[in-house]
Amino acid sequence: MCGIVGYIGPQNATPVILNGLKRLEYRGYDSAGLAVIQNSHIEIRRDVGKLTKLAELVSEIPVSGHVGIGHTRWATHGEPSARNAHPHIGMTGNVVVVHNGIVENYRELHDDLAAEGVVFSSDTDTEVIVQLVERFQSTGLGLVEAAEKSMQQLKGAHGIVLMSSLEPDKIVAARIGNAGGVVIGIGDHEMFIASDLPAILEHTRRVVFLESCQVAIVTRDGLTVQTLDGKPVRYKEQIVSWDPISAEKGEYRHFMLKEINEQVRSLTDTIAGRVDVDCGKVRLPELNLTPEFAKAISKVYITACGTAAHAGMIGKILLERITRIPTELQIASEFRYGDPIVGDNTLLLAISQSGETADTLAAMEEGRKKGARLWSIVNAIGTQAMRIADGYISMQAGPEIGVASTKAFTAPIVDLYMLAVLLADMRGTLGEKERRSLVSGLCMIPDLVGKCLDRHLEVEAVAETLKETRSCLYLGRGINMPIAYEGALKLKEISYIHAEGYPAGEMKHGPIALIDREMPVVVLAPHDPWYEKMISQIEQAKARGGTVIAVATDGDQCIPSLVDHVLWVPDTPWLLSPVVTVIPLQLLAYYIAAKRGLDVDQPRNLAKSVTVE
Ligand code: F6R
């Protein structure tokens, strides 16, 4: 959840860290801070609030040096305040730490240290780490050994970065458990450390991702990786192909709007190289899928959280319709405790934009324990959900910075569709004509999404009429039911308007009581197999005086006379229709929030990667 940046090299570390933090602010934004070793002394600047506050503080009281670490926080222990902002320094003032994760046994450690006379200066769990390291250092250990000994005592999952004024030639970084990714960027006589790639992409594409229980010792000219008990580890350097420019806002007012508009490109990239239109075939080589396993799969569990779970709901319908393999969607936070029935040929497919969502990783671990084959669909390259899987599909959506997920919603739907076609083909259950038709439908998608985006002014006009609403109902059925959930989620998370997504057929069993003139109802009624049913749903809502906004297919003659506003989408093969019907709902949520003057990219209480359970 929190963002971490570190730098060691010839440049002044302060602007490098501030820049890196800016690119990670989506991970947490209740407070921020940095520490730099200046004249052999650790200088800290930190404050509550957004990064701009920290930048102001640094310009008022400048600090410079060639080694430094920084942090942007999403509070777990201790309220957002300057004293709880990272970095945290130990009592002797020799060691400083930034941390992402939760020290689950911090009370115990805190009480032991306090009993030994350590005086704490924050309410955070993080501070025990630095106090522990200083305690080991005081017994004569060097920073690395002291850090390793301390980390062996921590319970929970963490990304940790430390430096010491006693050894200013190095930064020590560690990853423990699933949460808290740590990536080291290798430059020319300089090194970068971050919790996530966007912080370092402008400096280097050469990166090393730390595995769980590994410690990196980073100096200007080198990197050593070892286990928590000091055994050397051979690491693999990777070259990242993400474009640093795509992590910039460019001409757009918000990242969210930019990312909504990027979907023509992200979907093109998702499909590119994976479908052969001439022979109507799909290729997904990173899945490591053998014909034997394709035939043997007897059950699929899809697991994910939030928006990714909504993509998974659509995936369930796609897999069952196209492959006839029984498929279940389980919210990741429920999967682990639901005692799922997993057999030898069960496949567990996790979907995650960040690749580091704690609940999703825990579900994967549970699946592994029970003997499932693990696959993942992941956007952030090299992350845990990608690495622990037996096979994966890389989303190709590019960096997603806006906290509300948009392009990382449509990409996995297309991935799941391709997966269904591939599996059905390998299992011999899909005729050639049907396969070709499914694949050719796929190739139209980027263009159809572009057509939805061209209509942004119409959506903005509807947003103007809804911006003061207090509550909103979204209804959908069949393959567009998850779009009702997703439309409602987008609205509530960025506009703070209460919104509920509902299976349309359930409306008469309760929610219909809510409908009156004050309650707008957004109805998904494209030309899909549930169209007729949705028309009667619209009539029921209108009969109760509701304002109805329908998402409908171009050329529909019936809907305009029934509803108050229409959000038009182009005619799309129905199995792929959610990819287009969601676009006006993403735009609607965006425009409503922007018109309410809210912080669209960093809505209150949220963070981009949820690395705590
Ligand atoms: C909503 C949103 C969240 C995420 C969820 C899972 O806009 O972004 O609901 O979808 O936290 O995150 P990932 O996909 O990173 O596992």
Side-chain angles (χ1 to χ4, degrees), residues 305-308 351-355 357 360 403-405 486 489-490 493 608 610:
C305 305
T307 286
I351 308 172
S352 178
Q353 187 289 126
S354 63
T357 299
T360 307
V403 164
S405 190
E486 178 58 11
L489 177 63
K490 286 289 90 86
E493 69 183 325
K608 187 75 183 156
V610 186

Side-chain angles (χ1 to χ4, degrees), residues 469-489:
T469 194
R470 297 185 55 202
S471 193
C472 198
L473 190 60
Y474 285 68
L475 301 175
R477 238 177 140 130
I479 203 157
N480 277 292
M481 188 188 79
I483 299 301
Y485 292 148
E486 178 58 11
L489 177 63

